[in-house]
Amino acid sequence: MEHVPPPAEELALLDRELAELDARRAQLLTRRSWLLAALRPPAPTAAPGWNPSGWGAPPGASAQPWGYVPKQPSAPRGAQNVLLTLGGLLLTVAAVAFTLVSWGSMGIGGRSAVLAAVTLGALIAPAVLLRRGLAATAEALAALALALTLLDVYAVHAVAAPDADGLGFTAVASAVLAALWTAYGLALGTLRLPLPAAVVLAQWPLLFWAWAAGAPALVVGWALLATAVLDGAIALRGKGAGVRVTACVGGSAMGFSALMVGLALSTTASGPFGAVAPGALLLAAAAAALTGAWRAPKGFARTGGVVAGLAAVAAVGGVPAAELPGGWRVLAYLLCGLALTGVVRAGVPRDAARGVLAASGVVVAGALVWALRPLAVVLLGPGTLLSDVWAGSPEGFRAALGTTLPWSELAAAPVVLALVAGLLGAAHRWWPSVVRISAPLAAPRTADTGTPGAGAPGAVGAAAPWPGWSGWTTWSGAGAGVGRRPSAATLRGVVGAGAVALGWGAFLLAGALLDVPYALAVAGETALVGGLLALAVRGTGRGRGETAMPVTALVAAVAGAVSVGVLSLASEGASYAVFGALAALFAGAAVRAAGSELPRAVFAVAAVVWGTVLTGLAGRSLGLAPQETAPLVLVVPALTVLLGARLRRNPVALPVELTGALGALVAVGLAASEAPFLALVLALCGVLAAGAAVRPERRPVAGYLAAALFVLATWVRLAASEVSFPEAYTLPVTVPALVVGVLRRRRDPEASSWTAYGPGLAATLLPSMAVALTDTDWLRPLLLGTAALVITLLGARYRLQALLLLGGAVLALDGLHELTPYVVQVAGALPRWLPPALAGLLLLVVGATYEQRLRDARRLRDALGRMR
């Protein structure tokens, strides 16, 4: 018979076996890591050593037993470098002090002999040290030798050529030193300092020569560009990472300076012919950047493409821009930036071409940003009319904006927006052709590295070519690098959305620049809102990848509606016409919209808002004060309650009713200055909440809200009537309410005490508490405290939550009110340090018994939760 162990024993056996498997797996992984390290080239500085606590061996020591690890060097490399650096700095300081201070006390022979001997020794010593394997010491002496050669140049200028021009001498000296250090670095190939130092010195000869010759700024720009080209060649073909990095940094600085010189000369040229020479410099810089991008790695290639594209735009666009007035120059640069898209078919390598296209996008974005300022003025300018509503219709559109702009210099702004919008619209219309043309630049990324290339068939995460994308195409690697690429449909929707937004902005700007009559501006903007709503409604039922256009149209419609609504406030008739039209347009859009419920909710909410504004305008037309307008504003919330009852569980019903509730809140704010009107508005809001509570799905919230509003309306009415004994009015309500609550509990023992007794108790306790807080007599607080104590005891005896909490809260507040004068008196007599000390002690006690306090709070919460 086979023995079957008990479950506990079998579980222990399984745990032990799993632990052994984990240990064996860790052992095998460690052995694998050692084997991978053994296959690498041996490290020259590794010294043998033993470590019995683990596996591993220095690279190349495969014959050693397991448990072998390299011994750490006796002195850390960082400490050695610090010592050598400090020694080199001290020697350099000594050499500088000798050259500047002691130079004049020696004869010409002694001077030459000392400098020559020291410099020659500093140059020879690294070669000797390298043969003995002291590379770090050799590097330190090479740095000293570099400083000595600079001092030699200074000494030669001070003694042999004191009358030579400083800039010219510096140009010649830097060229000689760059050549010297290049030869020295190539001769001692293992030193890392000489060649980068030679690259740094090579930055200055041409620049200092141009300055010494008094050359114009254009020649200085050419000198900077030539230096940048030399740096680019070194960065591409230089020896060692330090040389390439130094050349890359220097080339970036010099190239940027050359571009800034060319751009400054091009933008300040007096005419097209004056912009030709700076344009040639910029074109040469573009050609150099593109040539470098042709052979550079991926990231540098894209950067070079961006620089080449921007330089070409500045060069070509600067010629016509020098002749054009004001803002029309932006249009010239924009056209040149759009022409860069021809690089798609120019045979340029993919990464460089992407950089050029990015430059085109930068130019277009810059032009659009320039056009946004007047567009923002057109949209936000009517806000100045809010301070003087219905002051009278202005003559033209610009007069209603409340700000002055140099409109003649902004004449190209709508043209810029319209041009880009038209191109985006054409791309959206003929999207398959755009995808086909740009397919060479849209190669997918590989599954694991993210580099351009076709995904292998069947590879995990391999992306399909662009023309075949649908939905979302995904690439992922092992661990990091997980991402998503948008589908062709999504990109098309984004392009269409851009066309919609820019076209809308172009129409608005055109009206402001033409200064159309006020009535025409209001009518045109309202019609434009209607067109945007039609576009938004048309696209609400489309797929996921095609939602960008309708969403953009919806946002633009809402923004345009707000702008034209504020603009219409200059005239009474225009206000009624515009807000009435907006309410009708958005209500119609809510009815006609299909598909997603979110756009329908936005349409319906906007319609409610415009209707609420109409009621406020009606109150102003009738000459009503704000508090008198408040009941009229409640018309729209009442309609939303009726509409919610009609829509029932439709998803649009809740946003509409919440918007109506916000309108009711506005009415309460309008009536807040007059207590009688505030009581009336609160009572009407209570009626609306009670009407909403008729529906089962709204009853849990609306029922309590209605009761609270009715009680609050009663308190406000009593306060407005200056009633000093509210109990005379609240007790006749409380007694029958409590009787009804008792009958309710007898018929339904499971009914909540808040439903049965809460409204009745709150009707008396809370107003009495509010009066007691300002009562200087002792009788009311005493009677209120006694009643609250009785209610609290009844709640604890019969486990009724409403009685316990309401009575306890009122009792605590009443006791605190009575004790406040004595607490203040005692606090004034105590030392200043005692309250903080007591507070700190309390915190320490609570912190020390935190877990116990937490358990007590949980037990109290559970006890209250079990009450009715």
Side-chain angles (χ1 to χ4, degrees):
M1 177 179 289
E2 184 179 357
H3 172 69
V4 178
E9 182 180 353
E10 184 178 2
L11 181 61
L13 291 173
L14 291 176
D15 289 339
R16 283 197 296 271
E17 291 180 3
L18 289 174
E20 292 174 359
L21 288 174
D22 290 339
R24 179 59 178 165
R25 184 176 185 273
Q27 195 177 34
L28 293 175
L29 288 175
T30 307
R31 177 62 178 171
R32 180 179 181 274
S33 301
W34 177 83
L35 291 173
L36 290 175
L39 295 175
R40 300 192 185 101
T45 59
W50 288 90
N51 182 7
S53 62
W55 290 351
S62 59
Q64 302 294 337
W66 293 3
Y68 188 94
V69 295
K71 183 189 294 183
Q72 295 297 328
S74 58
R77 178 67 63 181
Q80 180 186 14
N81 291 336
V82 169
L83 294 175
L84 292 173
T85 303
L86 290 175
L89 286 175
L90 290 174
L91 289 175
T92 303
V93 170
V96 172
F98 169 77
T99 304
L100 297 178
V101 178
S102 301
W103 185 261
S105 63
M106 301 180 64
I108 186 65
R111 301 171 187 175
S112 303
V114 171
L115 274 180
V118 175
T119 304
L120 185 61
L123 290 172
I124 294 174
V128 178
L129 294 172
L130 286 175
R131 284 198 296 269
R132 297 189 178 184
L134 302 175
T137 308
E139 289 286 353
L141 288 179
L144 176 62
L146 174 62
L148 288 174
T149 55
L150 296 176
L151 292 174
D152 288 339
V153 170
Y154 165 76
V156 170
H157 180 266
V159 175
D163 298 329
D165 179 63
L167 289 175
F169 185 84
T170 304
V172 175
S174 57
V176 172
L177 288 178
L180 172 65
W181 278 94
T182 300
Y184 187 75
L186 292 175
L188 302 177
T190 56
L191 289 179
R192 291 176 292 180
L193 180 62
L195 289 179
V199 174
V200 173
L201 291 170
Q203 307 301 310
W204 313 113
L206 291 177
L207 179 61
F208 285 140
W209 169 81
W211 281 354
L218 185 62
V219 177
V220 174
W222 280 106
L224 291 169
L225 179 60
T227 306
V229 171
L230 176 62
D231 289 329
I234 296 173
L236 290 174
R237 301 185 179 276
K239 179 183 178 182
V243 174
R244 291 193 295 271
V245 170
T246 305
C248 186
V249 173
S252 300
M254 293 296 176
F256 179 78
S257 301
L259 288 173
M260 291 298 101
V261 170
L263 183 62
L265 294 175
S266 177
T267 53
T268 57
S270 58
F273 292 103
V276 171
L281 173 62
L282 292 170
L283 279 179
L290 189 59
T291 303
W294 207 287
R295 297 176 176 84
K298 177 180 177 181
F300 292 98
R302 292 188 179 181
T303 304
V306 172
V307 173
L310 294 177
V313 169
V316 178
V319 176
E323 184 68 20
L324 295 174
W328 292 102
R329 297 183 178 184
V330 177
L331 185 60
Y333 289 112
L334 174 62
L335 293 175
C336 294
L338 293 173
L340 290 179
T341 55
V343 74
V344 175
R345 299 309 244 178
V348 180
R350 179 171 57 245
D351 292 323
R354 287 177 175 176
V356 175
L357 288 179
S360 175
V362 169
V363 174
V364 174
L368 294 178
V369 169
W370 171 80
L372 285 180
R373 181 194 173 199
L375 179 58
V377 169
V378 172
L379 286 174
L380 303 178
T384 57
L385 299 174
L386 293 173
S387 60
D388 194 7
V389 178
W390 294 351
S393 301
E395 294 182 0
F397 191 7
R398 295 182 193 173
L401 299 180
T403 183
T404 57
L405 285 178
W407 294 104
S408 59
E409 298 180 7
L410 301 173
V415 180
V416 168
L417 295 178
L419 177 61
V420 180
L423 292 175
L424 292 178
H428 180 269
R429 173 64 179 83
W430 291 286
W431 184 252
S433 300
V434 174
V435 172
R436 184 176 61 257
I437 293 172
S438 59
L441 300 183
R445 301 187 178 191
T446 56
D448 52 351
T449 62
T451 56
V460 178
W466 190 346
W469 286 357
S470 62
W472 290 86
T473 303
T474 312
W475 77 88
S476 61
V482 179
R484 292 184 181 272
R485 276 189 173 179
S487 66
T490 302
L491 293 175
R492 182 181 186 183
V494 171
V495 170
V500 170
L502 296 178
W504 169 61
F507 275 110
L508 293 179
L509 267 181
L513 285 166
L514 296 175
D515 197 17
V516 298
Y518 172 76
L520 182 59
V522 171
E525 287 199 36
T526 307
L528 193 57
V529 170
L532 291 170
L533 285 176
L535 182 59
V537 170
R538 182 181 177 185
T540 52
R542 298 190 177 183
R544 176 182 179 182
E546 302 178 3
T547 58
M549 281 186 66
V551 169
T552 303
L554 175 58
V555 173
V558 173
V562 173
S563 179
V564 71
V566 177
L567 181 65
S568 67
L569 294 178
S571 170
E572 182 177 3
S575 299
Y576 281 108
V578 168
F579 282 104
L582 291 177
L585 287 172
F586 278 89
V591 174
R592 297 284 298 174
S596 175
E597 299 297 338
L598 180 59
R600 296 183 61 194
V602 174
F603 295 142
V605 166
V608 173
V609 171
W610 311 140
T612 304
V613 175
L614 277 175
T615 57
L617 295 177
R620 183 179 179 86
S621 296
L622 295 174
L624 302 178
Q627 66 273 11
E628 297 173 336
T629 307
L632 186 62
V633 174
L634 291 177
V635 172
V636 174
L639 293 177
T640 60
V641 172
L642 297 176
L643 183 60
R646 176 69 176 84
L647 295 175
R648 304 295 294 176
R649 297 186 181 273
N650 192 300
V652 179
L654 181 59
V656 169
E657 291 180 85
L658 290 177
T659 309
L662 291 178
L665 189 62
V666 171
V668 171
L670 291 175
S673 59
E674 293 289 339
F677 280 97
L678 179 59
L680 174 61
V681 171
L682 289 173
L684 293 176
C685 291
V687 172
L688 296 179
V694 174
R695 299 160 52 195
E697 65 272 13
R698 299 287 184 261
R699 188 171 301 154
V701 176
Y704 289 109
L705 180 62
L709 288 172
F710 283 133
V711 173
L712 186 59
T714 303
W715 297 344
V716 173
R717 181 67 262 182
L718 293 177
S721 302
E722 299 181 356
V723 174
S724 58
F725 295 96
E727 293 81 4
Y729 298 90
T730 58
L731 283 176
V733 176
T734 295
V735 172
L738 293 178
V739 172
V740 172
V742 171
L743 297 177
R744 169 73 183 276
R745 291 273 297 174
R746 286 183 178 178
R747 186 173 64 253
D748 183 12
E750 297 299 324
S752 171
S753 61
W754 289 100
T755 304
Y757 308 119
L761 290 175
T764 294
L765 287 178
L766 297 183
S768 298
M769 187 69 245
V771 176
L773 291 177
T774 59
D775 194 350
T776 58
D777 198 4
W778 59 273
L779 183 59
R780 184 189 302 275
L782 176 62
L783 295 176
L784 180 62
T786 303
L789 177 61
V790 172
I791 293 172
T792 304
L793 293 176
L794 289 175
R797 170 66 179 83
Y798 295 102
R799 306 182 62 80
L800 298 175
Q801 191 180 96
L803 276 69
L804 180 63
L805 293 182
L806 281 175
V810 172
L811 181 61
L813 290 175
D814 187 64
L816 182 63
H817 172 262
E818 293 302 307
L819 290 176
T820 298
Y822 304 102
V823 172
V824 172
Q825 184 178 0
V826 171
L830 292 176
R832 294 289 183 89
W833 55 268
L834 188 58
L838 293 176
L841 182 62
L842 177 63
L843 291 177
L844 288 176
V845 172
V846 172
T849 61
Y850 175 76
E851 294 295 335
Q852 181 62 37
R853 302 287 78 77
L854 190 61
R855 287 192 294 270
D856 294 342
R858 287 173 178 168
R859 284 197 294 268
L860 178 60
R861 181 195 63 188
D862 295 338
L864 288 175
R866 289 191 294 269
M867 291 184 178
R868 286 292 175 186

